[in-house]
Amino acid sequence: MFEFSSRLKTISYVLILIGALSVGFSFLAGGGHHEDEHGEHATMHDEHADHSDHAEHADHASHDNHGEEAHHETAVHPALVHDDMPETDDFTYHKGASRAIPENNHFYASPEHHDAEHIHHQIENKPWSNLLVNSFWALALGLGALFFMAVQYAAQVGWSAVILRVLEAMASFIWVPGLVILIIILTGWFHIGGNHVYHWMAEGIMNPDSPNYDALIAGKEGYLNGAFFTLRALIYLGGWIGAAYMLRKMSLRFEQAGVDYAKNWAKMRNLGAGFLVFFAVTSSTSAWDWIMSIDTHWFSTLFGWYVFATMFVSALTALMMIVLYLKGKGYLAEVNQSHIHDIAKFMFAFSIFWTYLWFSQFMLIWYSNIPEEVTYYMARFGEYKGLFFTMLVLNFLFPILVLMSRDAKRNKGFIFTAGVVILFGHWMDIFIMIMPGSVGSNWTLGLVQIGTMLGFVGLFINVVFRALSKAPLMAKNHPMYVESTHFHQ
């Protein structure tokens, strides 16, 4: 049996404390700090507030007329007519182009008002966006492991039987980041704590009579509404957590006497196959919901696959690091060099797969050059250029150069170091997916963001290693156990 050492527990608690302090600091001080840095934006917002107060006390009728005039003036601005859009690579133009297309888009109706309001919301979004980046990254570690485990059962894979308990422990972590994501969704829906991460949840944005009305977003009301959004999140999390629990429960039956192991094995195969169907749908729709809907006007049919690739590479890398740690402590004696080599091959292969999807999405959007679509990359090239290309190097060039050779895939120290870099690279990938649409140019990457990530690492260590300590690391009555212990290549 694996023993969760007091030293490792202490490390996990320290990391959790760092994470809690980082989250607390981001909520208490993040907005105020930003206002000092962006006095100009704050002034714009204050001017708008003063104007509203003045209008309220002076003359409501006059205010309404003023609003109508302003709306009319901006509505006829020739630069915002779709047919007259010039061919240009100017970032500022493309950033606003998608807002200008529908004539009754609320950005189009009163751009100065909404720019000031959105900057204020972006400042308030910073702690929530930070929390979403880290919780989704942590979710990827557990959910990717659950997917990989289900594949092993559905395909009746033999070589991986000796690492299944590690996958089970990783999958048991899903509820922790899942709960955080659920809190982010509910606070956004009910407008609690300045959570405006999901812009489509703004009040009146789907009401034609509201000054916040946005025709494009209103057209998606059947799918993007608070009740259905929350219901989908509950279905995703319920299905994933339920499948992880059932597979773990059935796996533990291999330790019990008097159990029909063949029948139990057949049930696990069926459950694994059924879960893969559920996962195929929910992995994409959850990516649409929790990340893509932040950039509400933008869409990509490849995005779900792209997020899946990030999720799977991250989970495989975490799996490798846990296996190497356990072997370093004298556990998992059945895991040999061939097992390590195979997991490293998965890390390498799916890093290439991630690159293929990244380039496919980028090429199709950039080549078509449709304003509604290119804004996604223009924002990342314009305000996140350094991070964007660093992330690409870490997730593409680094795995190719480091993990290409056979010897590298069998060198434990080499792989562990590479794993740290790859995990951070995909954390940056998720950061770049979420931040541009939620905080815009008001992003920061410092101690708060890194501290929050370390907090989730601490939670991951605590939950996963506790699960590992509650059952034997090897399911010795597993039908594929003997085959797995003799795996060589």
Side-chain angles (χ1 to χ4, degrees):
M1 288 282 288
F2 166 73
E3 182 180 353
F4 191 12
S5 67
S6 57
R7 183 181 179 185
L8 193 56
K9 284 180 185 174
T10 303
I11 291 173
S12 70
Y13 289 137
V14 170
L15 293 175
I16 292 170
L17 179 62
I18 292 172
L21 291 174
S22 299
V23 172
F25 180 80
S26 67
F27 275 97
L28 290 174
H33 174 69
H34 178 87
E35 287 178 3
D36 294 338
E37 294 177 346
H38 299 268
E40 181 181 350
H41 299 321
T43 302
M44 291 175 65
H45 180 74
D46 291 342
E47 287 177 352
H48 168 69
D50 291 344
H51 172 74
S52 299
D53 291 342
H54 174 74
E56 183 178 351
H57 291 294
D59 188 347
H60 287 285
S62 174
H63 174 78
D64 292 339
N65 292 336
H66 172 71
E68 290 176 5
E69 290 172 6
H71 177 94
H72 176 70
E73 289 173 2
T74 53
V76 298
H77 196 293
L80 299 179
V81 179
H82 185 226
D83 293 339
D84 295 336
M85 287 181 179
E87 293 184 2
T88 176
D89 291 330
D90 178 69
F91 166 67
T92 304
Y93 176 80
H94 280 284
K95 184 181 177 184
S98 66
R99 301 176 178 182
I101 291 171
E103 286 74 4
N104 47 1
N105 184 323
H106 72 294
F107 289 101
Y108 183 81
S110 185
E112 291 183 358
H113 164 84
H114 286 286
D115 281 349
E117 182 179 339
H118 277 248
I119 289 168
H120 178 67
H121 285 173
Q122 286 173 350
I123 295 169
E124 293 184 319
N125 281 343
K126 288 179 69 177
W128 293 105
S129 300
N130 175 47
L131 207 53
L132 181 59
V133 168
N134 287 284
S135 57
F136 192 87
W137 176 72
L139 175 72
L141 304 181
L143 188 56
L146 177 60
F147 165 75
F148 192 50
M149 180 167 61
V151 169
Q152 308 311 303
Y153 286 118
Q156 304 183 59
V157 177
W159 74 272
S160 60
V162 293
I163 59 170
L164 287 176
R165 285 286 160 83
V166 180
L167 291 170
E168 291 170 15
M170 292 174 66
S172 69
F173 179 66
I174 291 174
W175 72 271
V176 177
L179 180 62
V180 177
I181 291 174
L182 198 57
I183 292 172
I184 294 171
I185 291 171
L186 290 175
T187 52
W189 182 16
F190 293 105
H191 310 291
I192 299 171
N195 182 356
H196 310 286
V197 171
Y198 297 105
H199 176 61
W200 57 266
M201 289 180 174
E203 292 183 9
I205 203 161
M206 299 184 187
N207 180 3
D209 299 326
S210 169
N212 281 336
Y213 179 65
D214 187 312
L216 267 179
I217 295 176
K220 302 178 181 182
E221 186 177 9
Y223 188 78
L224 291 180
N225 60 77
F228 192 28
F229 192 74
T230 306
L231 176 63
R232 288 198 302 276
L234 292 173
I235 291 173
Y236 304 153
L237 294 172
W240 299 338
I241 295 170
Y245 173 79
M246 291 302 296
L247 285 172
R248 170 76 168 183
K249 184 179 179 181
M250 292 178 183
S251 175
L252 293 179
R253 287 178 185 162
F254 288 124
E255 309 299 328
Q256 302 170 5
V259 173
D260 187 339
Y261 300 129
K263 187 177 180 180
N264 192 51
W265 169 244
K267 287 182 178 178
M268 297 184 81
R269 290 201 325 259
N270 293 335
L271 179 59
F275 171 76
L276 290 179
V277 176
F278 180 77
F279 178 84
V281 177
T282 55
S283 63
S284 284
T285 52
S286 62
W288 300 344
D289 286 358
W290 298 342
I291 299 182
M292 193 164 74
S293 77
I294 293 173
D295 296 277
T296 318
H297 287 183
W298 174 77
F299 65 92
S300 165
T301 53
L302 275 175
F303 191 75
W305 285 98
Y306 175 72
V307 173
F308 161 75
T310 286
M311 177 187 300
F312 196 39
V313 173
S314 301
L316 289 168
T317 305
L319 167 68
M320 173 66 92
M321 297 176 75
I322 294 172
V323 169
L324 293 179
Y325 171 82
L326 292 173
K327 279 197 71 67
K329 294 295 181 182
Y331 299 100
L332 296 180
E334 294 84 350
V335 174
N336 57 43
Q337 284 290 79
S338 296
H339 293 105
I340 301 295
H341 189 184
D342 258 25
I343 301 172
K345 283 195 293 187
F346 273 110
M347 289 169 58
F348 176 79
F350 278 90
S351 292
I352 305 299
F353 181 63
W354 174 89
T355 308
Y356 164 73
L357 292 174
W358 179 91
F359 181 72
S360 298
Q361 182 173 257
F362 167 76
M363 183 192 69
L364 290 174
I365 290 175
W366 199 256
Y367 185 76
S368 61
N369 199 26
I370 299 172
E372 298 94 317
E373 296 183 352
V374 296
T375 49
Y376 181 82
Y377 284 104
M378 295 302 290
R380 284 148 183 85
F381 284 177
E383 295 163 348
Y384 293 77
K385 185 177 291 181
L387 285 183
F388 187 83
F389 288 107
T390 301
M391 176 272 296
L392 194 59
V393 170
L394 295 182
N395 295 336
F396 169 46
L397 290 180
F398 183 81
I400 285 181
L401 297 176
V402 172
L403 296 176
M404 183 175 289
S405 72
R406 175 184 172 88
D407 290 341
K409 295 187 184 77
R410 290 170 174 257
N411 186 316
K412 298 181 180 62
F414 202 70
I415 297 173
F416 195 91
T417 305
V420 173
V421 175
I422 293 172
L423 280 177
F424 184 67
H426 284 282
W427 179 87
M428 287 181 65
D429 187 20
I430 295 172
F431 184 92
I432 293 170
M433 289 182 201
I434 291 173
M435 287 296 182
S438 57
V439 305
S441 61
N442 303 294
W443 64 278
T444 51
L445 178 52
L447 294 177
V448 168
Q449 290 73 29
I450 300 299
T452 307
M453 178 181 69
L454 293 177
F456 276 94
V457 171
L459 286 169
F460 182 77
I461 291 173
N462 198 285
V463 173
V464 171
F465 283 89
R466 279 186 189 282
L468 285 171
S469 67
K470 292 179 180 176
L473 293 178
M474 292 295 153
K476 292 190 175 180
N477 293 315
H478 190 287
M480 297 295 181
Y481 173 74
V482 176
E483 179 181 335
S484 183
T485 57
H486 291 85
F487 176 63
H488 290 287
Q489 59 176 333

